[in-house]
Amino acid sequence: MDSLDHCDHAYATAQVLGIGVGDRKLWGKPRPLPLLDVGLDRAPVTQAIQSLQAPPPVTFEIQPRSVRRSLGGGRGTFPSKLRGWKGRYLRGGAGRCAQREPLAWSARPVTFRAGQTPAGLAAAVSEPPTPRGGAMGPQEPARSGPAALSPAALGKLKQRAAECIELSAGRLGALSREIWSRPELAYEEHQAHGAMTRFFACAELPGAAWAVQPHYKLDTAFRAEWGSAAPAPRPLHLGFLCEYDALPGIGHACGHNLIAEVGAAAALGVKGALESLPQPPPAAVKITVLGTPAEEGGGGKIDLIEAGAFDDLDVVFMAHPAQDDAAYFPDVAEHDVTVKYYGKASHAAAYPWEGINALDAAVLAYNNLSVLRQQMKPTWRVHGIIKNGGVKPNIIPSYTELEFYLRAPSLKDLAILTERAENCFKAAAVATECKVEIKGGRHDYYNVLQNKSLEKTYIENGKELGMKFLSDEPFLNGPSGSTDFGNVTYVVPGIHPYFYIGSDALNHTEPYTTASGSQEAQFYTLRAAKALAMTALDVIFKPDLLEKVREDFRQMTLKEEGHLNVREQGKESGTGAVCATR
């Protein structure tokens, strides 16, 4: 029996069972055993199997669906219109996708063999849970949990991490300066990519070498890995993210050169601290640095998510320069849209009645949105420009183009705002008899999901280093910018704090460009890197913290579950631009 026929029979068996099977197309993919993806509750599956009148025709696996797998492709318990994930997780086995969420039953796949009796199948699927992996659920293969250290021992390890960062301060500063002095736009960060990969491939870096993968899944992305030796079969995998794209015209006015530096520095600190241990930790630890291009335009992290770059990460860390130290700002969901109006040209003085004025449509659309603002929630944002308004005053414009950004605190609100904005665009077309084309951007940016356990730990470590964190609740809970890191927080627990760089200049201004390249910013950037490294060590050596981080992630993703059905109408490939501080 060939692979496709094998999958066809398994799919038919799944339909008989009455359980979730995902997208039929995925069953045509060759794999060792067909995989049935099922929900979290074992009882309905057991009952369905017991109702079978005959043994299954083929051998197949049954796999409990995790929250994260449901995010993939929007299949299963999540809405079917979730954009961009392409069902990737349904094709996987029992590995990384099932590990992060608490399940009501064992997350390992159960193999059902051809000819096995329905009673035998029911017994297999109804066995009690296997107590592995802690609060965030079982894992395959099993991983021994991090060994707790005494506060004194952990404190010394954190001190060692800070020392390692200081030892590389010169190299880190040179790296940041090189990226700052040669700003590059989204997806074009070739020199920055070269600087980052050379940095991690440098033989002069302390300790064991990094395994560097240039052009990782994207031309200007990279991956650098290091892993400690330990008997555990699968490591605790921590990721540190670097950005390095700039803004058009004003260079690194968002300080992404410092984001690259802080991510690299924190990873060096954790690696150095672990290498300083007299013997390897009982639980394996793997550190990955991901270079993530195109945050300012396009969403490089979303591209990398779709390509599977985040599949095997347990917790991710990055930090963004700002005007203050804050463990969290409410970065919001964002949808960008390009609107094109098509009319008919005519002489504006001799026979204007023969024309259809596309500029009138653009002006009406702009005014429609201005009128809509009275009914918008205070946390919603709509801002845009007219990119093309015609070519000459005595020609009725036959073509105009607008670009707008729509933002809201949640995907649920963003869907409502998007629909209302599109109605404004369509109404202008009706009023002027123009044709309208509404085209969504390449990716939507999701709101950043809070992880309060990580934030609390980061604040504690930051205060030890002299950081003074914002405590103004209205400010901390007010609207902010947008970032593709928000999408990351929907698939893996993470933290995205902001840090002061010694200047009161505002992001996306020329003074901030100057500040991000200053020597003064170096002290604050390395301080933020130390706080991130110390927080990562807490995650490694405080088992209860790791479980709390995973539980926070589970609770937040469950809370957002009903908000993921973002409107797909009008979404096509395009170009968008957003910023974490805009």
Side-chain angles (χ1 to χ4, degrees):
M1 179 182 298
D2 62 34
S3 176
L4 182 57
D5 290 339
H6 189 80
C7 291
D8 285 339
H9 285 296
Y11 186 81
T13 302
Q15 289 180 313
V16 172
L17 293 178
I19 59 180
V21 293
D23 191 328
R24 171 64 186 86
K25 293 182 291 185
L26 301 180
W27 289 78
K29 303 287 185 180
R31 51 174 288 114
L33 290 175
L35 173 68
L36 306 190
D37 187 59
V38 304
L40 303 183
D41 186 2
R42 180 185 294 270
V45 181
T46 306
Q47 295 169 6
I49 291 174
Q50 287 174 331
S51 69
L52 285 176
Q53 301 301 312
V58 296
T59 297
F60 61 93
E61 289 180 358
I62 192 165
Q63 168 69 56
R65 179 194 303 125
S66 67
V67 172
R68 183 180 174 195
R69 176 176 286 106
S70 296
L71 280 169
R75 298 178 177 89
T77 59
F78 275 56
S80 60
K81 292 184 179 179
L82 175 60
R83 177 162 48 258
W85 305 86
K86 301 177 182 176
R88 201 166 32 77
Y89 299 120
L90 287 176
R91 295 197 288 270
R96 309 297 302 183
C97 299
Q99 74 182 8
R100 295 181 175 86
E101 296 76 31
L103 304 176
W105 51 303
S106 174
R108 69 175 180 83
V110 178
T111 299
F112 297 153
R113 306 200 176 279
Q116 189 174 4
T117 65
L121 298 182
V125 79
S126 60
E127 67 180 22
T130 303
R132 297 188 240 153
M136 286 313 294
Q139 303 173 12
E140 284 291 333
R143 184 187 76 216
S144 58
L149 292 181
S150 68
L154 183 54
K156 289 181 180 179
L157 205 60
K158 291 179 179 180
Q159 183 177 356
R160 179 55 184 159
E163 292 170 353
C164 291
I165 292 172
E166 285 296 334
L167 286 173
S168 297
R171 292 189 182 93
L172 290 161
L175 172 67
S176 176
R177 186 72 183 182
E178 183 177 357
I179 295 172
W180 180 88
S181 63
R182 298 186 294 185
E184 299 165 295
L185 301 182
Y187 297 109
E188 299 174 4
E189 314 95 327
H190 302 288
Q191 295 182 94
H193 170 273
M196 295 295 298
T197 53
R198 286 192 302 272
F199 177 86
F200 281 100
C202 178
E204 297 179 2
L205 286 179
W210 293 83
V212 181
Q213 300 178 59
H215 312 295
Y216 177 73
K217 300 187 182 294
L218 297 173
D219 190 38
T220 54
F222 75 91
R223 187 179 184 114
E225 295 182 340
W226 171 88
S228 64
R234 193 188 67 76
L236 173 65
H237 197 169
L238 306 183
F240 295 87
L241 309 188
C242 299
E243 297 174 1
Y244 32 80
D245 60 325
L247 289 162
I250 54 176
H252 281 287
C254 208
H256 288 194
N257 59 302
L258 301 180
I259 297 177
E261 180 181 3
V262 77
L268 291 183
V270 177
K271 173 179 177 286
L274 295 177
E275 287 181 330
S276 72
L277 291 171
Q279 56 186 14
V285 178
K286 186 176 182 180
I287 300 172
T288 288
V289 181
L290 273 180
T292 62
E295 191 275 340
E296 295 288 0
K301 294 183 190 64
I302 306 172
D303 294 326
L304 290 171
I305 290 170
E306 293 179 356
F310 290 84
D311 284 2
D312 57 349
L313 295 176
D314 291 299
V315 186
V316 294
F317 304 83
M318 71 167 285
H320 196 296
Q323 295 74 47
D324 298 280
D325 289 313
Y328 171 79
F329 278 153
D331 291 307
V332 298
E334 187 268 348
H335 171 74
D336 61 88
V337 59
T338 297
V339 183
K340 300 177 181 180
Y341 290 106
Y342 298 92
K344 179 183 177 183
S346 182
H347 196 291
Y351 29 86
W353 54 87
E354 294 292 335
I356 298 176
N357 198 320
L359 180 58
D360 286 346
V363 171
L364 278 177
Y366 194 97
N367 289 334
N368 287 346
L369 288 171
S370 296
V371 172
L372 176 65
R373 294 181 193 279
Q374 185 180 28
Q375 277 69 49
M376 284 169 46
K377 293 182 179 180
T379 52
W380 293 2
R381 295 290 184 271
V382 175
H383 33 270
I385 58 172
I386 298 177
K387 295 181 67 176
N388 188 326
V391 294
K392 199 174 181 181
N394 64 347
I395 302 174
I396 297 291
S398 62
Y399 173 78
T400 54
E401 181 178 336
L402 303 90
E403 185 174 0
F404 273 85
Y405 297 159
L406 315 177
R407 304 182 197 255
S410 69
L411 295 176
K412 178 182 178 181
D413 276 8
L414 182 62
I416 297 171
L417 177 59
T418 298
E419 182 177 8
R420 292 184 181 180
E422 288 182 354
N423 288 338
C424 290
F425 300 139
K426 293 173 183 176
V430 172
T432 57
E433 298 185 338
C434 287
K435 295 180 180 178
V436 61
E437 176 185 321
I438 302 173
K439 183 178 180 181
R442 180 186 181 112
H443 296 299
D444 279 358
Y445 282 26
Y446 294 176
N447 51 302
V448 173
L449 301 183
Q450 269 192 281
N451 195 293
K452 293 186 177 180
S453 296
L454 281 175
E455 292 166 16
K456 179 176 181 291
T457 305
Y458 179 80
I459 290 173
E460 292 171 352
N461 288 311
K463 287 182 176 179
E464 290 292 322
L465 297 168
M467 287 184 173
K468 297 180 179 179
F469 290 91
L470 282 175
S471 57
D472 187 346
E473 287 298 323
F475 182 79
L476 290 173
N477 293 322
S480 182
S482 304
T483 170
D484 55 0
F485 187 85
N487 301 63
V488 174
T489 64
Y490 277 73
V491 296
V492 60
I495 185 171
H496 183 276
Y498 288 82
F499 62 95
Y500 176 67
I501 65 168
S503 172
D504 293 329
L506 300 177
N507 295 67
H508 288 219
T509 66
E510 291 181 352
Y512 206 84
T513 303
T514 302
S516 69
S518 70
Q519 184 59 37
E520 185 180 8
Q522 287 301 297
F523 167 80
Y524 299 103
T525 300
L526 296 184
R527 183 173 69 172
K530 294 171 187 176
L532 278 185
M534 293 161 68
T535 302
L537 290 171
D538 282 323
V539 170
I540 295 170
F541 291 104
K542 292 182 177 180
D544 59 331
L545 174 60
L546 180 59
E547 304 309 329
K548 290 176 182 177
V549 167
R550 287 170 164 167
E551 178 63 16
D552 286 354
F553 171 74
R554 186 186 74 88
Q555 292 293 341
M556 290 302 297
T557 52
L558 287 175
K559 179 181 177 182
E560 294 293 326
E561 177 176 341
H563 301 167
L564 286 167
N565 193 7
V566 184
R567 284 172 51 87
E568 291 292 325
Q569 295 179 4
K571 284 291 295 182
E572 302 172 20
S573 295
T575 301
V578 296
C579 174
T581 54
R582 185 177 58 221

